[in-house]
Amino acid sequence: MAPLPDFAGLAIFAKVVELRSFAAAASELALSKATVSKAVTRLEKRLGARLFNRTSRRLALTDAGQKLSERAARLLADGEAAESEALAQSVSPRGLVRLAVPMSFGIMTVAPILPAFLQQYPDVSIDLHLSDAMVDLIGEGFDAALRIATLPDSSLIARRLCSIPRYTVASPAYLKRHGRPTHPMQLAEHKCLGYAYLSTAGVWHYRNAAGEQVSVRPAGPLRVNNGEALLPALLAGLAIADLPEFVVGDAIAAGKVEVILKGWKQTEGSLHLVTPSTGPRPARVEALTDFLISHFRKAKKK
């Protein structure tokens, strides 16, 4: 592989040409005059040509220096422009944020609040990725994610926003035909609906007020990779399901399904805001994460 161009030397050379003085270039770049002189000498050795004719009173470009000066000036200008643009994005929210969110939660809860954010920050755009699969934030280039789980230790920064209650439910028709379980172990005698991305790998964990803990591995006629897809089978009375409140809350309120095992609770998941831990975050990412934190923490208090 060929060595990279001497970008620093070219930029310093362009500044010397612009100001027609090694001393003035050193002052503007906050470098010593010796550092500026060495950079130009290094560039001359690399190119095999003198760039300046130096006298005690005058600094003049050689033919080689004249030919190089325009491109070096353009390089310096492009570098300054790129740095200014990046700095502006780090100070003022601007640009694209890639956000990964579980599908049903994203559609029901996140998408409805994004217009308020986009109106507040008109120079920011959002790429909303909806999937219940656990995405690789760093490998897939995401700026942040919302995750509903009990999170393992990782190199990511996770902030808990609120709890996500879960309910074990069945339709009145199912309970009439098959009876109402009163203990989690009785779920083994019933048909249950499965969720592929359950953080506990197909096992439902329960605890009661007395501290008793029970784990069951339910089975049934349907397993899906999105919780909302279980609702038709649940409402049709085919089986029992365990679902988060944001999916099944309306059906409970409407009496379409009933909460069972009321003396027991599944291990409660939480909503986390997850971000990579590497380096400072641009203002656009900070703005969106602050917005999400504020929204869900306020919602938790209601």
Side-chain angles (χ1 to χ4, degrees):
M1 179 179 175
L4 289 172
D6 185 355
F7 292 112
L10 288 165
I12 290 173
F13 166 69
K15 186 59 70 173
V16 173
V17 172
E18 177 189 338
L19 300 176
R20 295 289 173 174
S21 167
F22 278 76
S27 177
E28 183 158 326
L29 295 172
L31 299 172
S32 68
K33 186 177 178 181
T35 299
V36 171
S37 181
K38 286 178 182 178
V40 173
T41 300
R42 182 179 72 241
L43 190 60
E44 289 177 327
K45 287 181 178 179
R46 182 185 178 106
L47 299 177
R50 289 182 62 80
L51 300 176
F52 292 105
N53 287 318
R54 303 175 180 88
T55 68
S56 59
R57 296 185 178 182
R58 192 165 174 268
L59 189 65
L61 286 167
T62 64
D63 287 343
Q66 187 68 49
K67 291 175 181 178
L68 183 64
S69 63
E70 184 177 339
R71 290 196 173 189
R74 190 160 58 243
L75 176 69
L76 177 60
D78 287 345
E80 290 174 338
E83 191 173 78
S84 296
E85 183 178 344
L87 181 61
Q89 289 196 19
S90 69
V91 174
S92 176
R94 180 183 292 107
L96 177 67
V97 181
R98 299 194 68 221
L99 175 67
V101 182
M103 183 171 289
S104 294
F105 186 78
I107 293 170
M108 297 177 178
T109 309
V110 177
I113 67 174
L114 290 183
F117 173 82
L118 295 172
Q119 288 170 352
Q120 186 175 350
Y121 298 99
D123 293 327
V124 178
S125 57
I126 296 173
D127 180 356
L128 181 63
H129 177 85
L130 299 173
S131 174
D132 288 2
M134 188 78 76
V135 300
D136 178 357
L137 259 67
I138 296 173
E140 298 181 45
F142 286 98
D143 297 295
L146 290 173
R147 289 180 176 169
I148 301 171
T150 303
L151 294 181
D153 291 337
S154 74
S155 60
L156 302 174
I157 298 173
R159 281 178 278 192
R160 185 182 182 277
L161 303 185
C162 61
S163 61
I164 302 292
R166 300 185 65 86
Y167 300 104
T168 305
V169 293
S171 71
Y174 178 90
L175 296 174
K176 185 176 181 180
R177 286 196 307 271
H178 303 285
R180 181 185 296 267
T182 58
H183 192 281
M185 295 304 294
Q186 294 173 353
L187 292 174
E189 304 166 10
H190 290 263
K191 294 178 180 179
C192 297
L193 303 173
Y195 174 60
Y197 293 128
L198 193 67
S199 60
T200 51
V203 179
W204 297 1
H205 298 284
Y206 290 90
R207 179 194 294 266
N208 64 13
E212 183 183 356
Q213 298 182 48
V214 177
S215 296
V216 295
R217 187 179 292 275
L222 180 64
R223 183 171 180 263
V224 302
N225 64 358
N226 175 261
E228 196 175 3
L230 293 177
L231 283 177
L234 174 67
L235 297 177
L238 295 183
I240 293 171
D242 187 84
L243 292 166
E245 184 178 48
F246 65 86
V247 171
V248 77
D250 288 346
I252 294 172
K256 295 179 180 179
V257 298
E258 298 179 17
V259 178
I260 62 174
L261 301 175
K262 290 186 177 181
W264 297 83
K265 285 189 174 181
Q266 271 241 57
T267 301
E268 194 170 76
S270 298
L271 177 67
H272 294 84
L273 175 66
V274 183
T275 54
S277 60
T278 54
R281 290 180 298 181
R284 61 183 181 274
V285 178
E286 287 287 354
L288 181 58
T289 55
D290 288 347
F291 177 84
L292 293 172
I293 289 169
S294 175
H295 173 81
F296 286 110
R297 288 187 175 166
K298 286 178 182 176
K300 178 183 176 182
K301 294 177 182 179
K302 292 181 180 179

